Every structure is written in C-alpha cells, then in structure tokens.
Amino acid sequence: METPSAADVQGSLSPRTASNERTRDPRSPGSLQIRQQSVSQSPRGTTPETDPNATVLKEEPLTPVYTATRPVMTGQTVPKLPVLTNENALGSVTLDDPLADSQDQADDRVQAYAMLDFAEFTFYVQTMQVLLGRLVDGDTSTEALDIHLGPTKAISRKHARIFYNFGTQRFELSVLGRNGAFVDDVFVETGVTLPLKNRTRIQIGEIHFRFVLPAEETFPRRIEALAKPINATDAVNLKAALYNTPTSKSRSNSAVEIKDEVERSPTPKVPLLTPIPPYRHAPQPQAQYTTASQLAALQEAARKKEKAKKQAKPVKKVYTLEEIPVEFRAKPACSYSTLIESCLRARGTEKGMSLSEIYRGIQDLYPYYKYCSDGWQSSVRHNLSLNKSFKKVSKEGKGWLWGLDEEYCAERDKVKTRASVPTPAPNPVPTQSQQSAGKTELEPMIPPLSQQSVVPQTQPQPTLRADSTPAPGTLSAASLQSAMAARGKSIAELASEIKRETPKPQPSTSIQAQLAANRAQYAKSQPSTRETSSSPQPGSSVSPPAASGTVPVAPTNPKGLSGDTMKALGYLQQELIKLTKDRKMNDKQTTTAILTQALAMTIAQVNQAARNAGIQGNPLASLIEKNPQHVTKILTAALNAATAQVMKGKPQPHKAAQAPAPAATPVAAPVPVPHQQPQTARPVALSPKPQPASVAEAKPPMAPNAISQGIRKPQYYSRPPNVSGSGAGLKKPSGLNPVKPPVSIAQPSPQPQQSRLPPQADQSVSARDAEFDNLLKSISREATPDDRDTPPMSEKELDDLLNQHSSFVRDEQDEGDIMITGEGLKRPRDDEEDILMGLENKMAKVD
DNA sequence: GTCACAGTAAACACAA
DNA sequence: TTTGTGTTTACTGTGA
Ligand SMILES: [Mg+2]
C-alpha cells in the first residue's frame, strides 16, 4: 500500500485526494492504521490492497484522478496545525517532524487535526475542512463530500461543514442542511456556525458522532499533527477518506459512505440503500493501543459482539415522510384505550388477544402505527395494565390474553353518557379497510370531525397541536383556524386543501383571492364545525365553543377597523415584508398563502398573549407599542410556520414554533429577529409571568429527550394531540371527543397559560368571515408612506406583479430533501428585496 | 392553583 | 442470556 510521504502530499499542487483510511478490520492485516494516502498519481494503481471490509460501500466507476470541485483556499499557508500548536488546547500532543517518513508512523499513529468519532468508524480530519452530506448520483456537487451520511433525504446534500477557522483559531461547524443538526443535544438550525470543542457531540439525521481533538485522553490513539507547513490548497484538496483500496480506487474523490449492510460483509458488492443507516457499531478505537494486533483483537471481539447483537435485533425501519402514505401520516386522534378497545372488538376472541396480536391488530386497523416509531407499544401495555376496561382472560405463553371487561365498559359508557352531552355510543371499531383505504376512517368510532389529528409527527417534542387547544385567535385568525379545526386539520393540510379544492381556474394570487379561498374553505367546513355554537354537532359538544376573545379589534365592525387596529395591522404587514425580504419566495400563490397564514397566526398569537395576560383593549396595537420586538418575534415564528406549511404542504404547523430552544442556544431563530434583545426581549406588558414570548421562543421546560429525539429518533409525526390526552377519562372518552378547537399556530402547546384561557365566545360564521375579510383588506389597504397616494392597483396588475414571484424557485440543490423541522426555510436571494419591496408597494395599493 | 387524565418513558420483575 | 410481557412509577401536558 502506498503511503506517500507528507512531503508528497504537501508539495503537490495538483488536485489529489488523501484518503483517511480506516483499517480497523483485522482481516486486513497490517492496515490498522490510518494514514495519509495520496491517490493523486494513480488512483487506481496506488491502492493495491483489497479489503472487503471497506467502509465505502458503494462502487462507482473509476475516476481517473480526483479533481477538486470545491473552491480552493489559496495564498494561505498553515505553518502548523493550529489546533495542535496551541498549548492550551492540546499541549500533550507530540508534534512529529512533518517531514518524517509517514510510513514509520503508519503503524500506530494518525496524523490528523481532529477526529470525528462515529459509531462505527472514525474519521480523521486531515484537511482544513470536511464536508458532510448526502451523496446524490448525478449531482457532481456532492462528489466533494468527505463523508456521506447516507441516503436519507432528511440529510441535505451538503449538510454540514467542519472547518478550521483561521481567524478564531479553532474548528467550527457550519450547519448547512435544512434540517439542522444537534450539537451537544442542542438543535442548531441551518446557517449557523459554531465552534467545536473537544468531544462535541454532533448529530445529523440519525448519525451521531463526536468531534474529538487530539488530546491524549480522548484520542483513541496517538494523533499526530501534520505539523509541517502545508499549502492551504492542498489542505482543501486533501480529502480524507475512510475506505479501503478496492473501492477507494473507484472512489478517488469520495470518502466515507455510511450504509447499512454490506460494510462488513465479506462480499461488499451491492450497496444497500437504507433510508437511515442503522449502521453497525463497530468497535470504537480504544486508547492506549500500541500494537496493531491488540487493536485488532479487541476490534474483532467487539465486532463479533456487535454482529450478534445486530442479528438478534434487527433495526426497525425508520420511515421517511415520503415513504409513508399520506393517509397514514397522521396519528389517529383517539386514545390508546380506544385503540385497544377497537382492536379487541374487531379481532378479539373469547380467549382474548395476546399482546402481540393486539399490536398487530392496532397496526392493521390503524396503519399509522406501522410507520411510526416504537414507543406506542409501551403505551399499549401501560394502558392494558392500567385501564380497567381491559382484563386478562387467560394465560398463554409468556403473557396473557387480553379481553374487554364488558361490565366495566358498560359502566364507563354510562358515566360517559351522563357526564357529557348526549353522545353516540362509542363504537371504536373501525372497519378494517377504513384507514387502510386511506379514508379518514374511524368514522364509526369517532365523531366525524375529531377523527384524526393531522398534525404530522415529527418529534415527541411538545408541539403545537391544531386540535388540542382552543382557538385563541379572535380576529380573523380565528376564522382561519376555525376552519382548520373544524376539520381537525392542520393549517398545512387546510392550506393544501384550499389549494386543491378552491376552484381556481386561475390560481388565486391576490390576497383577496386567497381570502375568498379561505372563506370558502371556512364556510365549507363550518357546517361540520363543532366549535361554533351556531352549528351544534350531533351528539356531544363538550368542546369549548370557538371563543371570541377579549380582543376588541373591530369585533363589531365588519366594515372597518379602528384606527389603532389599522395601524397595528399596517405595522404587521411591514414587518412581515421585512422578514420576507430575507427569504426566498415562491410562486405567487404560495407567497400569498404564506403571508396570509403568517398574518393570521401572528394575530392569533398576539391575541392569545393578550388574553393570557389579561390585557384589555387592543392587544395588537398595545403590544406593538410596548414591545415591537416581541411582535416581530411572533411574526417571525409565524412566518416560519406558515412557510413550512405552505411550502412543504406538510402538516407541520408547529415545527417552527418548536424550534428547539432558540433562546437557550447560540442558535438563531429561523429568521433572525431584527433588533432584538437576545433572549431577554420579553413582552413585559403582556407577560405578567414568564411565558414564552413567541412561538419561536416558546418552549416548555425541556422534556427528557425532547430535543435530542428530534433527530436522534426521528418521529416523523408528532404525537397527535392526544385527543384523549387531557382531562378526558370517563368524562371525555377519546372516542367521543368532539373536535378540539384549533390552536393558534403561533401558539405552542407548551404554553400552559393557554389552557386556562376563557373560551372564546361564539361568533357567527358570517361575522368572523367578514372580519377575516376586513382584516386582510385593511392590511392590504394599509399603505406604506410612499404609496399612500398611489392609485389602487387592479387585480390584474397585482397578479402580474405576483407573477414575478413565480420565477422564484425552490432550492434546487436540496430539492427533494425532506423538511423535517419546518425551519431553515430562509433562502436569501439577491433580487428578492426588490421584488418584495415591489410587492409591498403593490400590496398597499391593492384593494 | 388544583385536579384528573392521558401519553410517554423508564425501572423492574418475571417467564419463555 | 435475551427477549417479550406485565406492572409500577415518575413526569409532562392539557383541559376542566
Ligand atoms: Mg387492565
């Protein structure tokens, strides 16, 4: 095996690849080192060794010579590896003569700046930067990746960059991927760069690793710095690779490929492409190894153990959003007890059902549970144990056969019926084909509107739930959300429905058109809405009626809004546009939808905050006056949420709102809130007690695993608003639960205050409808100073203007990536500002 | 603020 | 020893 000297590496100005070769596998004798390897001269010929256990699992056509496709750092030299020359940091590291024969060191030393310690391998950072991401065939830009993080689209093509910052003299991590990353269990959104300390934990998608600096106690082996001066160009081009020769030959420009199978297969021929690489946990390098044989022995033992473990317990497939049929993405809005009961009724026998049968039954009846992550089984067991409705019928094998305690059920139903408004008896047994057929199913089981929570499950983090909280919004937002809640749908779903259902020979591009669509949607859903007293639902109607808030914003003025309100709305509009300037826009319809939604959300949030704080008067105007930054924050979060929903069509209304602790981390909010006092900007006037200032910041005390599970254990659908979740019990059997009023998008569930809000007063459909209309009208009418005197723009003019936005395209590079967090949507574009300013002006003219 | 309830997770014990 | 099963407990969020 060729191990070019450092001088060779250093001296060459030609593009080359240095492979960071991992050769832990004992089956490749003498390869228990990681060494710089230049493949620049003859990538095919200089990798004579063939190791079937190569890390790189994917075979590709041979590439003659790696050609750098990345920008090259020029004109800069690195006298020494900064990290290692810093006494403070790593004084214990011995700096070898850079010109020393690398072959001598090859046996037990690794020259590297740092190490990325993955679960199954170790990547030695031997270059000034390392790119991590998802390799996409045909996308040459991804060929520059140093580490392939697997095929899952939750990982962006260029998801992260680890690089040495010469200015700060440290390694830093730039999060490039849409879905962000977790750094030391703290979510870091895209666009953020932060310093890396020794042993920093990084999680991208489901891939975990640590950034390890070469300190004796942490580095598995003696890591030597490439102490000699090197040309920065070389540094960039030195691509460390974790592969062995056979495949490395064919992948001269690639590095680590994280795959599922194959890796240690004796015949790593066909790469298996699994969405999430449940990669094997190869033995981690142990410190203090001095000989290759020792290392080999330990590694083999560990590997065997790992293998056995793997065989015994196959990794459950983790589905990506795309893989899950749309109709099964939402968790059925019924409690576990309901699930179990329905299952037992549908499939139970005299002898009962075993636990595993119940599992399967639930999965069959509710395919959602086929796709969601584990954890629900535990809840089922818990429920079986706890709930007296279920009793052990007979013993079988390990456990019991479970059945229904009909007596108890009957009693329970009686109590239920008494406690609530006349309600159809629960018939929790869905027909087998209901959910399977993709219907909204559960019809017989749950009142039509409370069927499914459509909140996509992304993470177990507390999320806003569209059907778990009373609609707090008063203004027009209420009607928008009422419409959503009426169908138990998320905003995103509703939005998509609006898109689909709105008769739009022409896409409705104007605010008015959108309004009309919303109105239509609202009206459509209204008849089935439970939250309004105007249309009482058959059966129980325990849910709080859609509240009319205390917000007196033109509550009785269908034609016009008060001056304050107008002013406030104008402010909102301007802020919205400001915020939008930094974003990549989409087609006009989408843009309109986003803006409309963001507006509605914001209003709802403000109203909610006001109500929480017992604010009387005009909360919007009041808050703007007292704490405009807070308003901006809310607006920002709402914009994020709206953008996520509209753009992705993914029912993840709360993702933005659940931005993991933006205030608690160096991470900025999805869109940096301008002029904001960091972390301290709290709505003094509106927050008598500490409460989340906005959706972006609103965050409950971190529940265990809350954030960390976001990526670590992707649950692509947030636990549905446990319809039965609260205060239900016998009083409110989930199956009988009326639809919960919609939650304000801008209102994260973690806000405990919201639950204590007085329910909104009833409001007639038409009133709210008009209000909604008026709101947006007024907003669009609110002229900017420059445009006050401009003549109104015709609908066509507006459309033409908006058409300009249709040229906005999505991020081509990451197109197809799954947006998990609903954040990171900020995509600046140079010409956006002009266009948006134009939009702003035009909007002002439109009426 | 308190309470009840449901969801979730974990610890633990037990049996196959 | 591992895995599945069942119980219990703790904690959290939600709604009344
Ligand atoms: Mg029981």
Side-chain angles (χ1 to χ4, degrees):
Chain A
M1 183 181 293
E2 182 189 48
T3 50
S5 68
D8 179 31
V9 173
Q10 175 206 9
S12 172
L13 295 176
S14 63
R16 63 181 56 219
T17 295
S19 66
N20 188 346
E21 204 167 8
R22 180 187 62 136
T23 52
R24 280 191 222 149
D25 197 298
R27 283 174 292 181
S28 65
S31 60
L32 294 165
Q33 321 86 23
I34 295 173
R35 51 187 169 269
Q36 291 293 135
Q37 179 187 27
S38 169
V39 293
S40 62
Q41 294 176 355
S42 173
R44 309 180 193 192
T46 56
T47 53
E49 287 189 6
T50 296
D51 184 357
N53 306 303
T55 304
V56 170
L57 309 166
K58 185 174 181 180
E59 292 193 343
E60 288 182 351
L62 296 182
T63 309
V65 174
Y66 169 67
T67 301
T69 54
R70 290 174 290 171
V72 170
M73 297 157 57
T74 57
Q76 190 166 197
T77 58
V78 186
K80 290 182 178 179
L81 283 180
V83 163
L84 296 178
T85 55
N86 184 335
E87 281 189 13
N88 295 335
L90 307 157
S92 60
V93 173
T94 301
L95 298 179
D96 280 359
D97 178 357
L99 297 179
D101 184 357
S102 62
Q103 184 69 58
D104 291 341
Q105 307 172 19
D107 288 338
D108 59 354
R109 294 181 183 181
V110 176
Q111 291 186 324
Y113 297 91
M115 178 183 93
L116 304 183
D117 192 14
F118 288 81
E120 69 165 353
F121 62 83
T122 300
F123 182 93
Y124 291 97
V125 178
Q126 297 171 301
T127 60
M128 291 295 100
Q129 79 164 1
V130 172
L131 270 178
L132 304 92
R134 169 169 56 92
L135 179 68
V136 174
D137 288 339
D139 184 346
T140 54
S141 71
T142 64
E143 292 172 1
L145 294 173
D146 297 290
I147 300 177
H148 303 155
L149 296 176
T152 176
K153 289 189 172 182
I155 294 171
S156 296
R157 301 175 192 213
K158 288 179 183 173
H159 203 106
R161 184 171 72 106
I162 292 173
F163 64 101
Y164 187 79
N165 186 326
F166 288 90
T168 58
Q169 299 254 312
R170 66 191 177 196
F171 273 96
E172 296 180 354
L173 167 72
S174 278
V175 178
L176 311 173
R178 282 185 181 183
N179 292 316
F182 283 87
V183 176
D184 282 337
D185 292 329
V186 174
F187 180 75
V188 176
E189 69 173 299
T190 182
V192 171
T193 296
L194 68 171
L196 291 175
K197 298 174 300 187
N198 188 31
R199 312 251 341 132
T200 295
R201 294 191 305 279
I202 303 170
Q203 182 186 343
I204 297 174
E206 283 217 322
I207 313 292
H208 301 248
F209 61 96
R210 276 182 188 270
F211 174 83
V212 181
L213 288 171
E216 287 285 355
E217 62 279 9
T218 52
F219 240 35
R221 286 186 278 161
R222 268 184 82 201
I223 306 300
E224 307 295 344
L226 292 171
K228 67 182 178 109
I230 61 173
N231 184 300
T233 300
D234 290 332
V236 172
N237 290 333
L238 286 174
K239 300 180 67 62
L242 290 185
Y243 52 83
N244 279 321
T245 48
T247 43
S248 70
K249 286 192 294 185
S250 61
R251 295 175 56 86
S252 61
N253 65 333
S254 62
V256 180
E257 185 84 15
I258 296 179
K259 300 281 183 178
D260 184 9
E261 301 299 326
V262 181
E263 179 184 3
R264 302 204 173 272
S265 158
T267 56
K269 278 287 183 182
V270 183
L272 298 189
L273 299 178
T274 52
I276 300 291
Y279 42 81
R280 308 196 189 305
H281 295 263
Q284 291 300 295
Q286 303 296 313
Q288 314 302 331
Y289 288 157
T290 54
T291 69
S293 58
Q294 284 177 307
L295 179 60
L298 285 175
Q299 286 176 335
E300 183 173 27
R303 190 168 48 80
K304 281 182 179 175
K305 186 179 177 183
E306 203 61 36
K307 186 179 178 182
K309 195 175 174 182
K310 182 95 176 188
Q311 286 175 341
K313 189 181 180 182
V315 174
K316 181 182 188 290
K317 175 176 172 58
V318 177
Y319 292 89
T320 64
L321 188 60
E322 292 172 339
E323 293 176 306
I324 306 175
V326 174
E327 59 269 32
F328 304 142
R329 292 178 184 177
K331 182 180 178 182
C334 49
S335 66
Y336 282 111
S337 59
T338 305
L339 291 181
I340 297 168
E341 181 176 346
S342 65
C343 178
L344 289 174
R345 292 199 185 283
R347 305 192 166 188
T349 65
E350 291 281 317
K351 293 193 292 183
M353 291 178 73
S354 69
L355 186 62
S356 58
E357 286 171 340
I358 293 174
Y359 289 162
R360 280 195 300 274
I362 290 176
Q363 286 182 315
D364 289 344
L365 295 171
Y366 309 93
Y368 164 87
Y369 292 98
K370 290 179 182 174
Y371 302 100
C372 72
S373 57
D374 289 340
W376 62 274
Q377 293 95 336
S378 171
S379 295
V380 167
R381 291 196 305 273
H382 169 80
N383 225 284
L384 283 170
S385 268
L386 232 59
N387 197 319
K388 289 176 182 166
S389 300
F390 314 120
K391 62 179 183 185
K392 292 175 279 198
V393 177
S394 56
K395 187 89 167 116
E396 186 195 76
K398 270 185 188 177
W400 293 82
L401 298 182
W402 294 88
L404 284 168
D405 186 335
E406 296 293 1
E407 287 183 18
Y408 184 88
C409 288
E411 188 62 29
R412 174 201 62 187
D413 292 342
K414 250 170 91 177
V415 175
K416 244 186 300 191
T417 309
R418 270 202 301 264
S420 63
V421 186
T423 298
N427 175 19
V429 183
T431 63
Q432 296 251 347
S433 57
Q434 273 167 350
Q435 185 168 354
S436 307
K439 299 175 188 171
T440 315
E441 71 103 340
L442 303 188
E443 249 83 8
M445 188 171 177
I446 303 177
L449 292 179
S450 55
Q451 296 329 331
Q452 289 185 322
S453 73
V454 228
V455 178
Q457 178 160 351
T458 49
Q459 295 164 8
Q461 318 175 9
T463 59
L464 286 176
R465 292 167 174 175
D467 56 348
S468 62
T469 310
T474 44
L475 249 182
S476 55
S479 51
L480 179 61
Q481 290 163 20
S482 297
M484 301 161 193
R487 323 184 116 211
K489 306 239 172 190
S490 68
I491 283 191
E493 281 210 352
L494 190 64
S496 66
E497 283 188 10
I498 290 172
K499 270 186 185 171
R500 287 197 307 271
E501 298 174 10
T502 299
K504 57 172 184 95
Q506 291 275 11
S508 312
T509 57
S510 66
I511 294 285
Q512 285 77 6
Q514 182 68 46
L515 258 182
N518 291 345
R519 281 199 304 270
Q521 185 62 33
Y522 176 68
K524 196 170 174 182
S525 59
Q526 190 59 26
S528 57
T529 298
R530 289 171 160 278
E531 62 173 21
T532 56
S533 58
S534 58
S535 58
Q537 290 307 300
S540 74
S541 177
V542 187
S543 70
S548 81
T550 57
V551 183
V553 179
T556 57
N557 183 1
K559 286 297 176 185
L561 301 171
S562 72
D564 280 352
T565 301
M566 292 285 288
K567 210 169 174 180
L569 293 177
Y571 175 85
L572 279 189
Q573 181 207 354
Q574 290 182 21
E575 286 301 302
L576 195 55
I577 290 171
K578 278 185 199 168
L579 293 173
T580 313
K581 283 198 301 187
D582 292 331
R583 295 169 181 239
K584 168 172 283 187
M585 298 303 288
N586 304 280
D587 60 274
K588 53 192 177 182
Q589 188 179 14
T590 305
T591 301
T592 303
I594 290 172
L595 294 178
T596 304
Q597 282 195 18
L599 219 48
M601 294 173 192
T602 302
I603 292 165
Q605 172 69 12
V606 170
N607 287 339
Q608 181 61 62
R611 199 175 302 112
N612 289 345
I615 297 294
Q616 300 295 320
N618 186 332
L620 196 55
S622 173
L623 183 58
I624 288 172
E625 181 183 346
K626 292 174 181 169
N627 196 339
Q629 290 148 354
H630 181 45
V631 175
T632 302
K633 261 179 137 180
I634 295 174
L635 204 50
T636 299
L639 191 57
N640 286 331
T643 304
Q645 296 156 22
V646 174
M647 280 191 57
K648 283 298 181 181
K650 264 184 20 177
Q652 294 196 333
H654 316 314
K655 297 310 297 181
Q658 54 180 301
T665 72
V667 179
V671 168
V673 179
H675 318 304
Q676 186 178 339
Q677 309 146 18
Q679 293 114 22
T680 55
R682 298 204 172 262
V684 179
L686 294 183
S687 297
K689 48 191 169 187
Q691 80 179 61
S694 73
V695 290
E697 140 187 32
K699 193 174 173 306
M702 179 73 69
N705 306 324
I707 280 186
S708 57
Q709 282 189 352
I711 289 183
R712 180 187 309 148
K713 183 184 176 186
Q715 297 184 358
Y716 292 94
Y717 305 99
S718 71
R719 282 302 177 190
N722 44 24
V723 169
S724 57
S726 46
L730 296 182
K731 288 184 293 182
K732 271 178 42 176
S734 57
L736 303 176
N737 276 343
V739 172
K740 310 234 172 178
V743 63
S744 159
I745 282 304
Q747 183 180 18
S749 58
Q751 286 188 350
Q753 297 83 352
Q754 70 187 19
S755 62
R756 304 186 190 109
L757 298 177
Q760 293 182 335
D762 285 342
Q763 208 173 3
S764 73
V765 180
S766 58
R768 275 188 283 176
D769 197 14
E771 196 176 330
F772 187 53
D773 196 343
N774 285 330
L775 162 74
L776 288 163
K777 267 188 183 174
S778 66
I779 289 174
S780 52
R781 211 185 292 126
E782 186 75 19
T784 58
D786 292 340
D787 284 325
R788 258 175 234 284
D789 298 323
T790 359
M793 188 172 79
S794 72
E795 189 73 13
K796 183 179 184 311
E797 283 174 316
L798 177 64
D799 286 352
D800 290 342
L801 170 77
L802 290 168
N803 273 330
Q804 299 172 16
H805 293 262
S806 60
S807 63
F808 283 42
V809 292
R810 295 187 177 193
D811 184 351
E812 310 84 13
Q813 172 170 327
D814 276 332
E815 193 170 23
D817 286 358
I818 294 178
M819 170 66 65
I820 286 186
T821 65
E823 298 179 287
L825 294 173
K826 183 175 70 174
R827 298 186 203 122
R829 193 178 142 136
D830 292 337
D831 55 346
E832 265 187 318
E833 182 165 349
D834 291 340
I835 296 177
L836 281 162
M837 288 310 289
L839 173 63
E840 177 183 15
N841 294 337
K842 299 301 181 184
M843 281 178 66
K845 303 172 190 170
V846 175
D847 186 3

